């Protein structure tokens, strides 16, 4: 499935719901979290809809790798501080027990000087 009806992140990717875009290419979209938990907080999502890691399969391996490898570049562009005294957190919530609220796989990138709203 490339697109799911009534999926808020598919609608953001399609431009049907506004977002503060951070990055876009053929496969990936990144935008600021509407309720930031840290001074820098954005989401990286695959354009192809799948729910979470439990719903991923071998055709998603490349895109999952790209999400991880593009994260440092986008984090620095968005104001995360470089080096070991800086850095950023990467979170993917999966299912209800994993704290997932939106069922289109997304990777949280959080950074910036502490304290944060959530530790
Ligand atoms: P999760 O709990 O991992 O499913 O996180 C979903 C995240 O999506 C939360 O941090 C929300 O603040 C964020 N979110 C929900 N709706 C929007 C939206 N319209 N634009 C940006 N972020 C959103
Ligand atoms: Zn979706």
């Amino acid at each position: 499935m490339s697109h799911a009806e009534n999926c808020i992140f598919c609608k953001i990717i399609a431009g049907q719901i506004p977002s503060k875009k951070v990055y876009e290419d053929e496969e990936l979209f990144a935008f600021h979290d509407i309720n930031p938990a840290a001074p820098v907080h954005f989401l990286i999502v695959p354009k192809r809809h799948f729910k979470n890691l439990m719903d991923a399969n071998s055709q998603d391996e490349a895109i999952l790798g790209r999400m991880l490898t593009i994260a440092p570049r986008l984090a620095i562009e968005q104001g995360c501080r470089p080096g070991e005294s800086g850095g950023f957190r990467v979170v993917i919530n999966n299912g209800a027990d994993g704290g997932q609220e939106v069922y289109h796989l997304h990777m949280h990138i959080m950074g910036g000087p502490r304290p944060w709203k959530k530790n």
Side-chain angles (χ1 to χ4, degrees):
M1 192 195 313
S2 67
H3 172 93
E5 295 294 325
N6 299 320
C7 169
I8 186 170
F9 287 177
C10 282
K11 288 181 179 165
I12 285 175
I13 292 161
Q16 292 160 359
I17 291 177
S19 69
K20 278 177 66 185
K21 184 162 94 175
V22 165
Y23 177 80
E24 179 173 15
D25 63 30
E26 321 78 61
E27 300 174 315
L28 291 177
F29 197 88
F31 55 99
H32 287 276
D33 196 292
I34 205 165
N35 182 23
V40 177
H41 187 175
F42 62 95
L43 306 173
I44 304 176
V45 306
K47 286 188 170 175
R48 198 179 87 76
H49 177 96
F50 56 102
K51 288 183 197 159
N52 53 39
L53 292 175
M54 297 182 287
D55 189 36
N57 55 50
S58 57
Q59 70 172 313
D60 302 312
E61 282 174 8
I63 194 67
L64 288 166
R66 285 203 60 224
M67 289 167 69
L68 287 168
T69 52
I70 205 168
R73 187 189 121 196
L74 298 185
I76 295 295
E77 284 176 10
Q78 293 306 312
C80 293
R81 298 179 294 179
E84 284 184 16
S85 60
F88 56 92
R89 174 176 285 176
V90 174
V91 172
I92 301 177
N93 296 325
N94 296 276
D97 285 350
Q100 187 172 12
E101 291 172 359
V102 177
Y103 280 77
H104 178 132
L105 182 118
H106 53 280
M107 196 164 85
H108 295 258
I109 306 293
M110 289 166 275
R114 289 179 183 263
W116 296 355
K117 223 195 272 182
K118 294 178 198 159
N119 286 307

